[in-house]
């Protein structure tokens, strides 16, 4: 079956760096997405990786290793507004998104 | 504001009621989606429409009935629901369905409670 694994919850300190991991097993691979979802709000797109390596976008970076079925989202200089759930999703061979259950990130002052 | 709106934002209904959820996208996208989001579970894809044609129906019970009258509007008709159907129902759209890199834009969701 198809499966996406990510930690349920993580805690970090304001100003620090946090890495949220995602491992996947899917039927085919057409890219991996990261979304951010604040409580009570819609998920919003953060990043897309289809080739191995690191994609940097401001304070957020996303890494992909297709051979390992692994990705991470790196958040630097954490701010209180970064408290949210972070969703990992893989586009399979049919371009259907397979979603992880999300990682709830709690930022403490 | 993502360009995708959903109404109502909250809905409480009894198991014998009939109600409809509405989604509208103002992005000129060709694909629209219905998802179910339950606490601590992955998003569950329910239906996909591409250019107003249904392309995916992931074994969803018949008490959920989608309708896509045009590429900007999507409905989810609800009938004889069960308490376990209580969840957040999210609508999303993307530029196309069969594009690997096209991100999906989500609406704020309808929080549904079945009593």
């Amino acid at each position: 079956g198809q499966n996406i694994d990510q930690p349920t919850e993580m805690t970090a300190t304001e100003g620090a760096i946090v890495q949220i991991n995602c491992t996947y097993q899917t039927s085919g691979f057409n890219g991996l997405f990261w979304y951010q979802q604040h409580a009570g709000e819609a998920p919003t797109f953060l990043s897309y990786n289809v080739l191995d390596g690191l994609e940097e976008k401001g304070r957020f970076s996303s890494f992909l290793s297709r051979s390992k079925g692994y990705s991470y989202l790196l958040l630097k200089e954490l701010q209180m507004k970064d408290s949210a759930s972070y969703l990992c999703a893989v586009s399979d061979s049919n371009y259907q998104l397979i979603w992880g259950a999300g990682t709830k990130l709690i930022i403490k002052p | 504001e993502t360009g995708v709106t959903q109404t109502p934002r909250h809905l409480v209904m009894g198991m014998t009621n009939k109600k409809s959820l509405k989604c509208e996208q103002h992005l000129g996208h060709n694909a629209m989606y219905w998802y179910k989001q339950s606490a601590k579970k992955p998003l569950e894809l329910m239906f996909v429409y591409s250019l107003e044609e249904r392309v995916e129906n992931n074994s969803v019970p018949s008490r959920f009935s989608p309708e896509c009258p045009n590429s900007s509007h999507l409905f989810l008709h609800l009938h004889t629901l069960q308490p376990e159907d209580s969840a957040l129902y999210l609508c999303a759209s993307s530029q196309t369905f069969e594009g690997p890199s096209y991100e999906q834009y989500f609406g704020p969701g309808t929080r549904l409670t079945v009593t």
Side-chain angles (χ1 to χ4, degrees):
Chain A
Q2 309 205 87
N3 193 52
I4 309 284
D5 284 317
Q6 50 181 133
T8 303
E9 187 173 298
M10 299 181 71
T11 302
T13 304
E14 190 177 16
I17 298 172
V18 71
Q19 178 176 310
I20 302 174
N21 295 326
C22 171
T23 58
Y24 63 89
Q25 290 178 304
T26 56
S27 302
F29 179 83
N30 278 308
L32 185 144
F33 295 82
W34 284 96
Y35 282 79
Q36 180 190 60
Q37 186 177 23
H38 285 100
E41 296 184 12
T44 54
F45 169 78
L46 288 177
S47 68
Y48 171 74
N49 294 68
V50 67
L51 299 176
D52 289 351
L54 187 68
E55 295 274 346
E56 297 186 74
K57 197 184 288 186
R59 292 188 300 114
F60 292 9
S61 302
S62 55
F63 172 83
L64 175 68
S65 170
R66 287 172 296 171
S67 62
K68 295 182 179 178
Y70 167 70
S71 172
Y72 67 74
L73 181 69
L74 191 71
L75 291 74
K76 301 177 184 176
E77 301 169 18
L78 286 170
Q79 302 174 9
M80 297 304 291
K81 67 177 182 179
D82 297 329
S83 292
S85 288
Y86 291 86
L87 312 179
C88 174
V90 173
S91 178
D92 71 7
S93 56
N94 295 319
Y95 301 111
Q96 188 168 138
L97 284 185
I98 311 301
W99 294 83
T103 299
K104 183 177 180 181
L105 178 63
I106 300 167
I107 310 296
K108 295 187 173 179
Chain B
E1 182 61 47
T2 63
V4 181
T5 58
Q6 290 186 244
T7 55
R9 294 293 307 276
H10 300 272
L11 178 62
V12 179
M13 59 186 289
M15 289 190 283
T16 58
N17 291 157
K18 287 184 182 180
K19 296 286 185 184
S20 295
L21 310 184
K22 179 182 175 182
C23 175
E24 183 174 1
Q25 57 98 358
H26 311 272
L27 301 168
H29 288 167
N30 291 321
M32 296 188 76
Y33 310 76
W34 278 118
Y35 285 95
K36 176 183 179 183
Q37 187 174 37
S38 303
K40 299 184 179 180
K41 288 186 177 180
L43 282 173
E44 297 173 45
L45 179 63
M46 301 175 73
F47 302 103
V48 182
Y49 277 82
S50 178
L51 295 171
E52 302 147 47
E53 300 261 340
R54 191 191 306 183
V55 294
E56 288 289 338
N57 176 357
N58 286 352
S59 302
V60 178
S62 59
R63 56 186 183 268
F64 295 92
S65 174
E67 178 190 0
C68 187
N70 55 62
S71 60
S72 298
H73 293 86
L74 187 64
F75 294 89
L76 188 62
H77 304 298
L78 315 173
H79 174 53
T80 321
L81 294 191
Q82 305 298 309
E84 61 264 29
D85 297 322
S86 298
L88 182 68
Y89 288 84
L90 290 165
C91 174
S93 71
S94 64
Q95 190 166 339
T96 68
F97 170 61
E98 288 183 332
S101 65
Y102 293 126
E103 67 265 31
Q104 294 180 14
Y105 292 76
F106 286 83
T110 296
R111 174 67 63 186
L112 174 67
T113 303
V114 181
T115 59

